[in-house]
Amino acid sequence: FARRKAAGAAMRRSLGLLAAAAGGLLTLAAGIAVDMDAAPLDQPYRASVACNDDYESLPRGCQPQACGRAVFDNVITSEEAASLRAMADEALAFAARKAGHDLPHGWNTPGQTPLPLLDGPSIVDVNTGFARHSVLGLQGLYRDLGKKRKPTTERFVLNQLHRTLYQRVGRTLESLLTSEFGLSELHFSAPTFVARLQGSAAWRARDVHDEYWHPHVDRNNTAHYHYSALLYLAEGGGEDFSGGEFQFMDPEGNFTVVPRAGRVVIFTSGQEHLHRVRPVTQGVRYAISMWFTCDAAMAMPQFLDGKMHNTFHAKREAGKKRQRRHLPRNHRVKAPKDEL
């Protein structure tokens, strides 16, 4: 019974993480008095803003020299962006099969009319091993979900090219954050995912988790988020998709970043950065969202090992300590190499 209860709790935690992450929907900002757009930004940029959260309480090496935001271009190539889009589509097609929907061959060919089945937001987290869409539901990529949590008869296989590229993106975004904000300590966290937003005039949100366009603050939704990063994998402005612009909602008006493949937006995750994504009206928007934390207990290594992971560093370590107490003195559980 205890094992079944733990499994259910783990699944609920995973669903909550993914639902919150798909646009930051669990805590919606209220009282937005300004809805005026400044001229859209279509070039590299950086700016400091006044910190609205207590960053002084963070470990010294993780306190920003100044709160702010920055935009970088050409962080990945167009070929690498296409490869990451293909990775997300392969995982989504796998999740669709598990949900009883076989997608037709060539469904994601550029120029092809998007499948109505996939209208709206989808998220794919290849690190923790989940995919979600309102029609497909929450699907495990590496094992079945449910009380028994038995290994699935078919598992999604992340190829070496995609694994290496995804890991490099994570390291690159972490490096940009540490350099931009003068940090000596920062931890990759979870969830991190590719968000696929498919526009359609006929589509209607099924629940609040589909409504990805609401203004929100990342740290309000997930307390251990301290730094945020968004990497575009597709071209906006009507080329791959229309709408879907990222906006900082500043007191003096909305600050819009034009979507470009390979463009990265990084920012401190506190109250100083209320933001939103405008609805995608046509085409498909792909972007990688990653968050980083100052709390070592909430670290989540980039496993990418074909296994489901839904436990943060602190809980994994607690589990190891409990296990060690029941082992002979001369036996110790070895930590995975990527955690050493």
Side-chain angles (χ1 to χ4, degrees):
F1 174 78
R3 185 175 299 173
R4 291 197 302 270
K5 184 176 180 181
M11 183 178 175
R12 288 191 296 274
R13 284 196 303 274
S14 301
L15 177 57
L17 285 171
L18 288 171
L25 306 178
L26 297 188
T27 305
L28 307 183
I32 307 301
V34 176
D35 195 17
M36 299 179 295
D37 293 345
L41 177 78
D42 197 10
Q43 62 186 10
Y45 159 89
R46 61 168 43 89
S48 297
V49 299
C51 294
N52 288 337
D53 272 3
D54 183 17
Y55 288 91
E56 293 182 358
S57 66
L58 301 177
R60 184 174 298 275
C62 206
Q63 296 176 15
Q65 293 177 349
C67 290
R69 62 185 72 149
V71 176
F72 301 89
D73 281 345
N74 303 315
V75 173
I76 60 173
T77 67
S78 58
E79 292 78 13
E80 289 170 334
S83 182
L84 290 168
R85 294 197 303 268
M87 177 197 73
D89 285 347
E90 290 169 12
L92 193 59
F94 175 85
R97 285 198 304 274
K98 291 190 70 173
H101 301 275
D102 287 322
L103 304 186
H105 178 72
W107 68 274
N108 59 342
T109 302
Q112 187 89 346
T113 302
L115 290 176
L117 173 71
L118 299 179
D119 283 348
S122 307
I123 53 177
V124 173
D125 188 340
V126 295
N127 191 37
T128 60
F130 296 91
R132 182 187 182 275
H133 182 272
S134 58
V135 175
L136 308 180
L138 182 69
Q139 299 292 338
L141 297 177
Y142 308 127
R143 69 184 307 162
D144 289 334
L145 303 181
K147 293 182 178 180
K148 294 184 179 180
R149 294 176 61 206
K150 292 182 179 180
T152 182
T153 55
E154 182 185 7
R155 296 196 304 174
F156 175 68
V157 177
L158 188 66
N159 69 45
Q160 185 60 45
L161 173 63
H162 292 157
R163 181 184 299 111
T164 300
L165 183 53
Y166 199 84
Q167 288 173 331
R168 181 159 62 80
V169 166
R171 290 193 299 267
T172 299
L173 297 185
E174 182 174 353
S175 178
L176 289 174
L177 286 164
T178 55
S179 176
E180 184 68 24
F181 297 111
L183 312 176
S184 60
E185 177 183 351
L186 193 62
H187 307 280
F188 186 82
S189 193
T192 62
F193 55 84
V194 179
R196 183 185 187 277
L197 307 181
Q198 183 169 303
S200 169
W203 177 76
R204 297 293 181 270
R206 291 191 169 205
D207 56 40
V208 69
H209 298 308
D210 283 347
E211 299 174 4
Y212 57 85
W213 50 82
H214 290 291
H216 64 279
V217 172
D218 287 350
R219 201 171 174 191
N220 279 1
N221 292 340
T222 307
H224 66 267
Y225 287 170
H226 296 107
Y227 296 92
S228 305
L230 174 75
L231 169 62
Y232 284 107
L233 304 178
E235 289 284 329
E239 185 168 338
D240 293 322
F241 63 94
S242 300
E245 299 90 353
F246 182 94
Q247 290 187 324
F248 291 109
M249 304 190 72
D250 298 331
E252 62 274 15
N254 298 337
F255 187 90
T256 303
V257 179
V258 175
R260 300 290 182 202
R263 173 168 286 172
V264 165
V265 185
I266 62 173
F267 54 98
T268 47
S269 304
Q271 302 289 336
E272 66 278 357
H273 278 131
L274 178 69
H275 61 279
R276 69 179 177 186
V277 173
R278 293 183 65 88
V280 174
T281 58
Q282 187 177 15
V284 184
R285 174 192 189 268
Y286 294 80
I288 290 182
S289 296
M290 290 187 173
W291 289 271
F292 298 81
T293 184
C294 298
D295 185 353
M298 304 305 287
M300 176 68 78
Q302 289 200 67
F303 293 102
L304 301 176
D305 56 1
K307 299 178 182 178
M308 186 177 74
H309 297 278
N310 57 7
T311 306
F312 289 101
H313 178 76
K315 294 183 179 180
R316 290 197 305 276
E317 290 303 307
K320 292 171 190 172
K321 290 177 182 178
R322 286 195 297 270
Q323 188 176 4
R324 285 170 183 160
R325 285 199 294 268
H326 294 88
L327 294 172
R329 288 185 178 181
N330 62 349
H331 185 95
R332 288 293 181 266
V333 177
K334 294 182 179 179
K337 291 182 179 179
D338 54 1
E339 287 191 64
L340 297 177

